[in-house]
Amino acid sequence: MTNEPVLVIGGTGKTGRRVVAGLKERGVAVRVASRSSEQRFDWLDESTWGPALEGVGAVYAVPLEGVAVSRSFTGLARRSGVERIVLLSARGVDVPGYYEDGAAADEEKSEEKNEERAAGEEAGVASHLQGEHAVRDSGLEWTILRPGWFAQNFSEGLFLDALLAGELRLPVADGAATFVDLEDVAAVAVAALTEDGHAGQVYEMSGPRAVNLETAVAEIAGATGRPIRYVPVTVDRFTAELRQEGLSAEDAQLWAAALNPIRRGLEAKVSDGVRRALGRDPRDFAEFVKDAAAAGAWRG
Ligand SMILES: NC(=O)c1ccc[n+]([C@@H]2O[C@H](COP(=O)([O-])OP(=O)(O)OC[C@H]3O[C@@H](n4cnc5c(N)ncnc54)[C@H](OP(=O)(O)O)[C@@H]3O)[C@@H](O)[C@H]2O)c1
């Protein structure tokens, strides 16, 4: 690789921020891009793509939820002289039915299943897969990251406000997940952006241990001394509550669909991407909790 900067699209977000920090630690020049960054970049405004890609050697791409990274983007990247792209995707997008609610086996429920919910299941998966295809066919050196559920959903993401309020209400029953620490996802991204040997790899990533929501919340409660509990709710109640908090119907359905694999036990699987990419085991959920608590994530 040359000394040209790495463009980090979504560089102010949960994974992008950590990728930026990791690249800087290695002395790599970084160009942070997003709608609010100095280098303005908007997936929904093609006129912002060319200036961001100018003079860049490699790209880390965080796609917008439900919107695929397109062939126009990868084509422009190639013509701009980009050599390498690392795409953030998600675990399970290649498995048919992975994000379905599991009601298909039940004839009656299947008939009742409304179109909005089915659209939610489709949207996230379809856009990630389309983006993966665009990247694979781009002629660039590509690496695809497929992480499972992020541990940082508890400390920076969707679950944070509920935890601070003392009650996390999710439609996952006693389902467990091998939550992956974003420090690991970012470390794999940085390796793929800066080292040889990762081109053409799809890294499916998870943490080393499946924890159910009751255990996860208990570990956070233990580390913080806050009284917090997990309350299982139905999918319909979950989406209704998200709507009350101001989320659009589409976003509420996307989140509900994303949680289906946890309820169905699919996210309890351990994936080996961190070990394959970095030659070490992924960080445990307990390490994430300890570090996030020390950083004041749940001080409120
Ligand atoms: N949460 C999970 O457990 C999980 C698991 C697997 C995969 N994923 C995938 O991870 C991705 C989200 O990654 P993340 O958590 O790092 O993101 P994030 O924390 O939600 O941050 C989103 C980033 O994208 C930027 N952004 C938002 N809208 C944009 C637009 N229109 N054009 C350009 N940039 C835009 C934001 O900055 P500005 O606001 O300044 O634009 C921000 O930098 C999603 O594709 C999701 O499917 C999530």
Side-chain angles (χ1 to χ4, degrees):
M1 291 296 291
T2 58
N3 291 326
E4 290 163 326
V6 175
L7 178 68
V8 181
I9 302 172
T12 57
K14 291 191 292 301
T15 66
R17 249 189 356 256
R18 292 174 165 85
V19 172
V20 169
L23 288 169
K24 286 186 173 167
E25 253 171 49
R26 288 194 181 200
V28 178
V30 182
R31 187 179 299 166
V32 177
S34 75
R35 293 166 309 172
S36 63
S37 300
E38 197 174 317
Q39 180 65 59
R40 201 174 95 74
F41 180 98
D42 189 340
W43 285 116
L44 303 177
D45 177 1
E46 281 200 38
S47 71
T48 63
W49 299 357
L53 287 164
E54 221 174 273
V56 156
V59 174
Y60 173 70
V62 175
L64 190 55
E65 198 71 63
V67 178
V69 170
S70 65
R71 287 171 201 275
S72 343
F73 174 77
T74 55
L76 182 60
R78 181 108 197 264
R79 292 194 299 282
S80 305
V82 172
E83 293 169 36
R84 203 172 262 192
I85 185 163
V86 175
L87 176 71
L88 180 64
S89 180
R91 185 159 77 161
V93 294
D94 58 328
V95 181
Y98 192 82
Y99 288 93
E100 283 178 9
D101 68 5
D106 180 334
E107 206 60 28
E108 210 177 314
K109 275 192 198 157
S110 168
E111 276 171 25
E112 278 174 13
K113 188 162 134 178
N114 67 41
E115 281 174 20
E116 247 180 24
R117 187 179 298 178
E121 288 164 13
E122 269 300 302
V125 178
S127 66
H128 275 309
L129 262 190
Q130 270 175 40
E132 288 194 6
H133 287 308
V135 161
R136 284 169 189 266
D137 296 344
S138 64
L140 302 167
E141 281 184 24
W142 57 264
T143 306
I144 291 170
L145 311 185
R146 285 190 188 149
W149 266 82
F150 300 165
Q152 276 76 3
N153 287 306
F154 291 92
S155 56
E156 304 168 31
L158 184 75
F159 304 161
L160 178 61
D161 287 346
L163 289 173
L164 293 177
E167 194 169 279
L168 180 60
R169 300 163 64 80
L170 294 176
V172 300
D174 62 353
T178 48
F179 295 102
V180 63
D181 191 321
L182 291 183
E183 296 300 334
D184 286 338
V185 175
V188 173
V190 168
L193 288 162
T194 58
E195 297 168 2
D196 291 331
H198 301 285
Q201 296 293 328
V202 177
Y203 291 125
E204 190 175 293
M205 286 176 271
S206 77
R209 172 172 65 112
V211 281
N212 66 23
L213 269 293
E214 197 173 345
T215 306
V217 167
E219 290 190 22
I220 294 168
T224 59
R226 293 177 81 101
I228 319 170
R229 63 183 194 133
Y230 162 62
V231 178
V233 295
T234 63
V235 175
D236 286 341
R237 174 162 280 231
F238 173 71
T239 50
E241 288 178 359
L242 286 186
R243 298 292 315 273
Q244 276 165 18
E245 285 167 28
L247 263 73
S248 67
E250 195 187 340
D251 284 346
Q253 294 299 343
L254 273 171
W255 277 113
L259 286 160
N260 284 335
I262 300 185
R263 186 179 58 257
R264 295 170 58 210
L266 305 176
E267 277 292 303
K269 180 180 153 195
V270 173
S271 296
D272 66 356
V274 173
R275 169 150 285 285
R276 281 205 294 125
L278 304 176
R280 64 158 174 83
D281 286 330
R283 280 161 55 87
D284 189 77
F285 191 76
E287 287 177 80
F288 152 74
V289 171
K290 186 166 153 267
D291 288 354
W298 297 293
R299 246 174 238 146

